[in-house]
């Protein structure tokens, strides 16, 4: 089970990094929100053992936090 979690974490981290590269036309605030959602999704998945609800919840919370952090970057 731990091996599967590590693989899922690695795949999610790679997806977040690759998606950040494709954000060329986005504002800094939008980028912060996207990165926050990605990190939150990975964190939620890890903390809840891969639960879909935990992953979606983590993404939502991370997106909100990234959006709020992005407000200061004008």
């Amino acid at each position: 089970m731990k091996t599967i979690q590590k693989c899922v974490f690695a795949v999610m981290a790679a997806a977040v990094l690759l998606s950040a590269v494709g954000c060329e036309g986005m504002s800094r605030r939008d980028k912060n929100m996207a990165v926050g959602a990605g990190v939150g999704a990975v964190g939620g998945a890890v903390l809840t053992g891969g639960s879909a609800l935990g992953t979606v919840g983590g993404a939502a919370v991370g997106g909100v936090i990234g959006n709020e952090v992005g407000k200061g970057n004008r």
Side-chain angles (χ1 to χ4, degrees), residues 18-57:
L18 289 174
S19 67
V21 173
C23 299
E24 202 171 302
M26 295 173 73
S27 71
R28 188 172 193 91
R29 185 173 177 187
D30 290 341
K31 289 180 188 178
N32 286 342
M33 186 171 64
V35 170
V39 170
V42 171
V46 169
L47 290 175
T48 61
S51 161
L53 184 60
T55 303
V56 171

